[in-house]
């Protein structure tokens, strides 16, 4: 870990530094991630942003229950139960975890609301520290694969392949998968997928529709090219730029940022790839597509499990010749909870959930 630029973890709008952690998480491992939790005394006003339903059992006891995927339960319990015991001791609560094989929630009992919320936060901290080390399974996406966009993209691809020597067909995204990524996440079980579904529905009602209602139908244009790194001759991702069509500049950015923060506050999206704003873009060429194709080809000719190295490409000529290319306009009709590395019947990513963003008025 670079001590001058440590990895940061945002939980409930608070920032923590991550120490080096075990990267492989399973229900059977019991590494003590709680060692990295900040040693704070919790005050009542520190816990206002902890979102959980707390019931009063009697005059001196309060309780709540929270779902934690079985994949993280070993970390919650800790080696020989030391993590759960320490959380219970520090927060002055009684915490019950389900036995192996049981599909139950964690229950927390305390003498006051503050202690129960403190325990919830400590458990969330351990879960988040585990979650950020996992491969992403889902992402919130806005499809950008309308017939006109796809037609213009295929024309762009044909021209690039003809006019820019050294650019391979395998670098291009499949036309049916053109999209904007709002944020990525790791959803380990059905409960977490249902939680993400509810969050997306809430985001539509609280942020998306109120922000866009004066500009419906809301149109998004892909125009112009840019890239992710500093050297146009060594590009990993070349993308199309996003702009509003018939709406105030910045409205789209404001909307996707609000959706991202909604998921981040719930603990499902972390800020590893987020700085001041979501980086809105539509990926057009990506060096990982070429490496994935090479892996497939090598696996067909070799019995060894090899992983092709991702090699950047020279995109300077593409940028020179097609810098202001206009791919056209998409009407924003829906937003998806998409599954990574899948293909649906329409050529887009297989959705776990799709929510309409069309006005019913």
């Amino acid at each position: 870990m670079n001590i001058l630029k440590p990895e940061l973890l945002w939980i409930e709008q608070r920032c923590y530094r991550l120490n080096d952690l075990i990267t492989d998480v399973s229900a059977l491992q019991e590494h003590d991630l709680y060692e990295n939790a900040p040693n704070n005394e919790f005050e009542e006003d520190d816990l206002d942003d902890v979102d959980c339903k707390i019931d009063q059992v009697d005059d001196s006891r309060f309780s709540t229950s929270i779902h934690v995927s079985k994949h993280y339960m070993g970390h919650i319990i800790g080696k020989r139960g030391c993590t759960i015991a320490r959380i219970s001791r520090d927060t002055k609560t009684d915490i019950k975890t389900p036995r192996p094989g049981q599909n139950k929630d964690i229950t927390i009992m305390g003498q006051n609301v503050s202690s129960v919320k403190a325990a919830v936060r400590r458990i969330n901290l351990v879960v988040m520290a585990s979650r950020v080390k996992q491969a992403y399974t889902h992402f919130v996406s806005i499809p950008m694969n309308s017939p006109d966009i796809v037609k213009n993209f295929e024309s762009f691809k044909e021209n690039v392949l003809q006019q820019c020597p050294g650019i391979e067909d395998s670098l291009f995204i499949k036309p049916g998968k053109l999209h904007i990524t709002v944020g990525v996440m790791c959803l380990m079980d059905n409960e977490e997928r249902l939680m993400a579904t509810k969050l997306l529905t809430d985001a539509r009602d609280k942020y998306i529709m109120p922000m866009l209602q004066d500009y419906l139908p809301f149109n998004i244009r892909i125009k112009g090219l840019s890239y992710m790194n500093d050297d146009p001759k060594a590009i990993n991702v070349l993308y199309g730029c996003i702009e509003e069509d018939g709406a105030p500049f910045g409205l789209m950015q404001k909307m996707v940022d609000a959706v991202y923060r909604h998921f981040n506050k719930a603990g499902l999206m972390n800020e590893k790839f987020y700085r001041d704003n979501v980086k809105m873009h539509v990926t057009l060429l990506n060096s990982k597509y070429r490496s994935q194709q090479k892996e497939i080809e090598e696996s067909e000719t070799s019995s060894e499990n090899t992983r092709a190295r991702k090699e950047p490409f020279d995109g300077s000529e593409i940028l020179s010749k097609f810098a202001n290319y206009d791919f056209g306009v998409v009407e924003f009709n829906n937003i998806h909870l998409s599954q990574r590395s899948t293909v649906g019947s329409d050529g887009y990513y297989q959705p776990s959930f799709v929510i309409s963003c069309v006005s019913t008025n």
Side-chain angles (χ1 to χ4, degrees):
M1 180 182 72
N2 185 343
I3 61 173
L4 297 179
K5 295 181 179 180
E7 188 172 354
L8 302 178
L9 174 64
W10 287 83
I11 297 177
E12 295 163 351
Q13 300 178 329
R14 284 174 168 76
C15 185
Y16 302 103
R17 183 183 69 183
L18 273 179
N19 294 330
D20 288 334
L21 302 176
I22 301 299
T23 59
D24 184 23
V25 177
S26 76
L28 300 178
Q29 289 178 306
E30 296 185 350
H31 302 290
D32 192 359
L33 298 184
Y34 186 71
E35 292 286 355
N36 300 297
N39 184 21
N40 294 331
E41 292 295 326
F42 290 91
E43 301 293 342
E44 192 77 37
D45 58 357
D46 284 331
L47 300 162
D48 290 342
D49 56 357
V50 176
D51 185 17
C52 61
K53 182 178 181 295
I54 298 179
D55 299 315
Q56 184 168 359
V57 178
D58 52 37
D59 291 342
S60 60
R61 290 187 302 168
F62 295 82
S63 72
T64 191
S65 61
I66 58 173
H67 172 76
V68 173
S69 170
K70 65 181 180 181
H71 298 84
Y72 304 126
M73 200 61 70
H75 288 286
I76 298 297
I77 295 170
K79 193 178 297 183
R80 294 185 293 277
C82 64
T83 301
I84 199 72
R86 191 176 301 124
I87 295 174
S88 180
R89 182 186 68 238
D90 290 354
T91 60
K92 298 180 175 61
T93 56
D94 180 31
I95 305 173
K96 302 293 185 183
T97 58
R99 295 180 180 277
Q102 289 184 326
N103 186 23
K104 294 183 178 180
D105 292 342
I106 294 176
T107 58
I108 304 170
M109 188 87 68
Q111 296 181 355
N112 52 62
V113 171
S114 178
S115 62
V116 173
K117 284 189 172 185
V120 170
R121 171 170 286 162
R122 289 284 177 154
I123 291 172
N124 286 343
L125 178 63
V126 176
V127 171
M128 283 295 294
S130 304
R131 190 190 299 278
V132 298
K133 296 297 181 179
Q134 298 305 291
Y136 298 115
T137 61
H138 292 73
F139 62 104
V140 174
S141 71
I142 300 173
M144 299 294 288
N145 57 353
S146 69
D148 286 344
I149 292 288
V150 168
K151 180 181 177 181
N152 291 330
F153 171 76
E154 289 177 334
S155 177
F156 164 78
K157 176 180 175 180
E158 181 180 352
N159 289 329
V160 168
L161 291 174
Q162 290 176 352
Q163 301 178 36
C164 302
I167 300 299
E168 302 171 26
D169 181 276
S170 59
L171 287 167
F172 290 83
I173 191 172
K174 300 297 183 185
K177 287 192 168 184
L178 290 165
H179 69 280
I180 298 171
T181 297
V182 177
V184 294
M185 68 198 95
C186 174
L187 305 178
M188 300 299 286
D189 59 20
N190 192 54
E191 288 294 324
E192 292 191 344
R193 289 188 286 274
L194 289 173
M195 178 183 178
T197 296
K198 183 180 184 302
L199 286 170
L200 192 55
T201 303
D202 291 343
R204 189 268 310 271
D205 297 338
K206 292 180 179 178
Y207 307 111
I208 298 175
M209 298 310 291
M211 288 181 181
L212 304 184
Q213 63 183 353
D214 293 335
Y215 307 98
L216 296 175
F218 185 74
N219 293 318
I220 307 169
R221 181 178 295 276
I222 310 175
K223 184 178 180 181
L225 304 178
S226 191
Y227 54 102
M228 291 293 187
N229 55 307
D230 297 327
D231 186 357
K233 293 188 176 182
I235 295 176
N236 282 316
V237 177
L238 187 145
Y239 61 87
C241 302
I242 300 300
E243 59 184 56
E244 299 84 353
D245 190 79
F249 174 79
L251 182 60
M252 181 77 177
Q253 185 72 65
K254 183 179 179 182
M255 185 266 286
V256 297
D257 285 347
V259 175
Y260 171 84
R261 287 193 296 269
H262 188 62
F263 276 81
N264 174 256
K265 184 178 179 181
L268 290 188
M269 289 183 185
N270 67 75
E271 302 205 357
K272 183 176 181 180
F273 302 109
Y274 181 88
R275 297 297 182 262
D276 298 325
N277 304 102
V278 172
K279 188 172 183 61
M280 292 193 304
H281 67 282
V282 177
T283 296
L284 304 174
L285 289 82
N286 193 326
S287 60
K288 79 173 183 180
Y289 302 148
R290 177 171 57 186
S291 64
Q292 288 170 350
Q293 181 62 33
K294 286 183 178 179
E295 283 182 32
I296 294 172
E297 293 171 355
E298 290 175 2
S299 67
E300 292 175 348
T301 58
S302 173
S303 59
E304 297 181 4
N305 184 15
T306 58
R307 189 175 186 85
R309 186 168 62 91
K310 187 166 67 172
E311 298 178 357
F313 60 92
D314 184 350
S316 57
E317 198 164 359
I318 303 177
L319 293 165
S320 174
K321 293 181 177 180
F322 303 96
N324 296 311
Y325 194 92
D326 191 343
F327 294 87
V329 172
V330 173
E331 184 176 322
F332 175 49
N333 291 324
N334 50 60
I335 189 166
H336 291 218
L337 177 62
S338 301
Q339 301 173 37
R340 287 192 68 217
S341 305
T342 62
V343 182
S345 58
D346 60 352
Y348 193 65
Y349 297 92
Q350 185 72 34
S352 291
F353 182 64
V354 178
I355 188 165
S356 173
C357 296
V358 177
S359 176
T360 57
N361 296 335

